[in-house]
Amino acid sequence: MKPTSRCLPAFAVLSAAIFVIAAPSLATQVQTPPPAAQVQAPPAAGPKTVAESTEYAATSTYAEVMSFIRELQKLSPLLRVETLAVTAEGKAVPLIVIGKPLPQDPLALRAEKRIAVYIEANIHAGEVEGKEASLMLARDILLDPNLPYLDKIVLLIAPIFNADGNDKMSPDNRRGQNGPEKAGVRHNGQNLDLNRDAMKQESPEIQGLVKNGLLRWDPVLLVDCHTTDGSYHEEPVTYSWQLCPNGDLSLLAYMRDKMLPAVAATLEKKYHTLSVPYGDPRDFRDMSKGWQTFGHQPRYMTNYAGLRDRLSVLIENYNYADFRTRVAGNYHMLQALLDYCWANAADLQKLVADSDARTVQSGLTPKETDTFGLDIEVHPLPGQISVQGYEMEAPPAAEGAPQGPFPRMRPTDRKKTYVMPYYADFVAKRSVRLPYAYLIPIAGTDILDKLRQHGIAVERLTEAATLETEAFRLKEIKGAERLYQGHRTNTVKGEYAVETREFPKGTLLVRTAQPLGRLAAYLLEPESDDGLLVWNFFDKDIVSQWGGGAQTYPVYKLYTAQNLASEGID
């Protein structure tokens, strides 16, 4: 259907941003995606979001989101609401499930041709356009007589993931953002940044997402909606793929080189919306030095999904565009992603199944080439990227103010297209071998509970075993001087040593021959930059309290397959 004139975004008349990193031909998409509605006035029978009803002056409160969802339930039998989590302040985080038919048992989906796609919004509750756009999308799909996408996709939407932060609205939050008049805060009810919690899982929201979302529904694709900070450009939508180089590199390459270039082309050609890969200038004073993405660590939700052998997309809507334009851009990006998933559902299903199989196989017979990367640094991708920006200038200094070496830059009204390298290729400077299994001979349940929260299979030795393993001797452990997410994160130095020792009955056994084997390694490797040792979970076992001497990290690596008497732990 043709959009109404008031909803046609101003950026529709702009030419496309050029993403010149090489991508394979799009000819593999042999099917034509179903028709999908443009952003438009809601159908007469459909509810309006708060953004729509206020002409994009305001955004929805938690109560208003829940009211909108209840109105949708009255209009369609194809929608069910589940509870993803209950926040620290007692709010139920809704998960909207849309399907034709609605699956009663998520496990049954794994034997179907339909795939699950999970859309998450408002993880940072001041970044609100994904909340409004995902609700609009749910409404427009359900009220379209063609029910687009639903023959191949079960859609999961968490529109208000940070429910506690959402209602702490103030005009002082995200003051540089161009609308709405008030927005929520970044942190949740525990003062945690939920997009830094994926590995440590200390918030009920992330624990609930993993248990009731990722483990229960096993979505092929996770989409996380945000708003940018800092950089100036014309493109209203930016995006990224999973970046962690210790995940399945074939999935990473598929997202980077095939799927997202195709989605960006659809976004521009079909939905008249500019986009560019997410980033900021490496140097605002000299844009030619390059465009750089965010970090590779799996504490970030999209990287975490990639480490679980699933596809993921970060949407970062342009901070300085007006609120209506940001909502429209987010809405169209979701449409373009669903178009691709619909056209390639069988391929995506096979892609992640093959990734699981590779992970399991490498754990059964680990080779010298099966490694875990350390000291990871970012390199430019081949080719260059084009960003439609502005000539920049330093604002005049206040009289008598000292001049720093890095003045904050601001855009002029002179447009300029920058062609530059894109720093988004994370590479390990060194690596260590991945083992057949990890052995953890310590008492207590903290580590066990944390591994099981992630869904990692853990066993317990039912008989003592004497084994040759590799140990990590700590020479230095240093906690950060500044608290980060409630932790003084650790950095360690040490050396590896072969050790034959007896592992007592009850020792925890974590095999890498499981679909989450890569995630298990990231959590347990001693030099991992985002593992349980970093986040202080082993402090009581390795920080010397009762005397001097070097400590040994209480996780041992077993390289050769062994017949061990063990039992699984539920």
Side-chain angles (χ1 to χ4, degrees):
M1 291 180 287
K2 186 176 180 180
T4 60
S5 57
R6 73 177 182 87
C7 288
L8 275 174
F11 53 81
V13 298
L14 298 175
S15 59
I18 302 170
F19 184 20
V20 296
I21 296 172
S25 168
L26 307 185
T28 54
Q29 297 183 65
V30 295
Q31 302 181 74
T32 301
Q38 301 283 318
V39 175
Q40 58 185 326
K48 291 184 178 181
T49 64
V50 167
E52 292 169 308
S53 63
T54 63
E55 289 295 320
Y56 295 87
T59 188
S60 311
T61 64
Y62 174 78
E64 288 164 338
V65 168
M66 298 306 294
S67 176
F68 185 96
I69 293 171
R70 286 192 292 270
E71 289 300 310
L72 287 186
Q73 283 184 293
K74 296 175 185 176
L75 294 171
S76 176
L78 305 181
L79 180 148
R80 181 170 73 241
V81 182
E82 299 182 354
T83 297
L84 201 60
V86 177
T87 71
E89 296 179 5
K91 296 183 181 72
V93 178
L95 179 68
I96 302 170
V97 183
I98 299 174
K100 182 190 177 185
L102 275 170
Q104 296 307 309
D105 179 5
L107 289 177
L109 262 186
R110 303 182 190 189
E112 285 192 36
K113 293 182 179 179
R114 288 187 295 173
I115 59 173
V117 173
Y118 170 75
I119 296 169
E120 178 176 279
N122 231 49
I123 190 171
H124 293 151
E127 303 171 18
V128 294
E129 49 280 336
K131 173 181 58 178
E132 306 292 337
S134 63
L135 291 172
M136 293 159 64
L137 183 68
R139 175 198 65 207
D140 294 347
I141 289 173
L142 288 169
L143 297 184
D144 187 326
N146 296 315
L147 294 170
Y149 310 118
L150 297 187
D151 57 331
K152 296 185 182 180
I153 295 172
V154 172
L155 189 58
L156 312 171
I157 301 175
I160 189 165
F161 190 71
N162 184 359
D164 287 347
N166 185 82
D167 283 8
K168 296 178 174 67
M169 291 188 185
S170 167
D172 293 328
N173 297 334
R174 292 188 62 84
R175 296 182 69 178
Q177 185 169 283
N178 189 0
E181 294 169 351
K182 296 189 295 182
V185 295
R186 185 179 184 89
H187 52 270
N188 77 338
Q190 302 163 290
N191 290 321
L192 293 177
D193 185 331
L194 296 175
N195 201 35
R196 306 294 185 272
D197 193 44
M199 294 296 274
K200 57 188 177 68
Q201 284 197 40
E202 293 178 313
S203 66
E205 293 92 342
I206 297 298
Q207 291 174 9
L209 166 61
V210 174
K211 179 180 179 181
N212 300 316
L214 305 187
L215 292 172
R216 174 172 160 79
W217 286 99
D218 191 22
V220 166
L221 174 68
L222 177 147
V223 183
D224 197 13
C225 302
H226 290 255
T227 314
T228 64
D229 297 304
S231 57
Y232 294 91
H233 48 82
E234 296 181 55
E235 298 88 353
V237 176
T238 74
Y239 57 84
S240 182
W241 50 90
Q242 63 262 34
L243 298 168
C244 181
N246 282 314
D248 187 328
L249 294 181
S250 65
L251 292 186
L252 189 158
Y254 178 88
M255 295 298 292
R256 181 190 66 206
D257 301 333
K258 185 175 183 179
M259 179 171 170
L260 279 173
V263 168
T266 298
L267 185 61
E268 187 271 318
K269 294 174 184 176
K270 183 175 178 181
Y271 300 111
H272 314 294
T273 302
L274 289 169
S275 67
V276 69
Y278 173 73
D280 286 300
R282 287 168 69 86
D283 185 341
F284 277 86
R285 297 172 303 174
D286 184 0
M287 297 276 283
S288 66
K289 289 183 178 179
W291 192 248
Q292 183 164 324
T293 190
F294 68 108
H296 68 278
Q297 295 92 338
R299 67 190 64 172
Y300 302 104
M301 185 51 60
T302 50
N303 292 342
Y304 176 75
L307 197 58
R308 297 179 69 97
D309 289 348
R310 294 299 177 265
L311 307 173
S312 64
V313 175
L314 172 75
I315 300 176
E316 289 270 0
N317 302 288
Y318 179 50
N319 182 66
Y320 302 110
D322 65 86
F323 187 32
R324 183 192 299 270
T325 297
R326 298 202 315 273
V327 172
N330 200 137
Y331 182 101
H332 291 320
M333 183 63 170
L334 294 175
Q335 285 181 303
L337 285 165
L338 291 180
D339 285 352
Y340 188 94
C341 291
W342 184 90
N344 298 278
D347 290 345
L348 298 182
Q349 197 171 47
K350 184 178 186 302
L351 192 70
V352 298
D354 289 348
S355 179
D356 284 346
R358 281 193 298 273
T359 301
V360 171
Q361 184 58 45
S362 67
L364 288 172
T365 54
K367 304 179 181 65
E368 294 277 352
T369 53
D370 293 319
T371 59
F372 182 87
L374 302 169
D375 300 339
I376 295 166
E377 59 185 12
V378 65
H379 292 177
L381 288 165
Q384 292 189 309
I385 190 172
S386 182
V387 179
Q388 296 186 19
Y390 304 87
E391 292 183 14
M392 305 295 290
E393 66 179 11
E399 186 175 350
Q403 290 295 298
F406 301 108
R408 182 171 179 82
M409 305 297 286
R410 67 184 183 188
T412 68
D413 59 1
R414 299 183 299 275
K415 294 180 180 181
K416 181 176 179 178
T417 297
Y418 294 90
V419 179
M420 52 190 162
Y422 184 37
Y423 285 79
D425 186 16
F426 289 91
V427 178
K429 293 170 64 176
R430 63 187 179 97
S431 60
V432 293
R433 284 184 62 195
L434 284 171
Y436 170 76
Y438 296 94
L439 292 151
I440 312 172
I442 56 175
T445 61
D446 290 358
I447 303 303
L448 172 61
D449 290 348
K450 195 56 57 178
L451 293 170
R452 292 300 296 135
Q453 274 181 354
H454 287 273
I456 292 167
V458 183
E459 301 166 59
R460 183 182 284 117
L461 295 186
T462 55
E463 297 177 7
T466 300
L467 300 166
E468 182 179 273
T469 59
E470 184 178 78
F472 185 75
R473 313 278 194 223
L474 283 117
K475 292 184 174 181
E476 178 183 308
I477 180 167
K478 184 181 296 185
E481 293 184 6
R482 184 177 179 180
L483 280 169
Y484 177 69
Q485 297 297 300
H487 288 259
R488 298 195 186 277
T489 52
N490 288 324
T491 55
V492 300
K493 294 180 180 178
E495 60 185 13
Y496 297 91
V498 175
E499 177 179 312
T500 299
R501 59 165 291 164
E502 181 180 279
F503 291 89
K505 177 181 176 180
T507 294
L508 301 181
L509 172 68
V510 182
R511 302 178 195 267
T512 56
Q514 56 176 300
L516 297 179
R518 292 185 178 90
L519 174 58
Y522 222 114
L523 289 165
L524 295 174
E525 279 293 328
E527 296 184 278
S528 165
D529 58 13
D530 214 6
L532 297 180
L533 177 54
V534 169
W535 290 108
N536 306 120
F537 287 96
F538 283 104
D539 279 9
K540 66 179 182 297
D541 303 298
I542 58 176
V543 176
S544 179
Q545 300 177 71
W546 312 114
Q551 302 290 306
T552 298
Y553 176 56
V555 177
Y556 297 80
K557 297 169 73 170
L558 178 65
Y559 286 107
T560 57
Q562 302 281 337
N563 293 322
L564 299 171
S566 63
E567 61 183 6
I569 300 174
D570 292 331

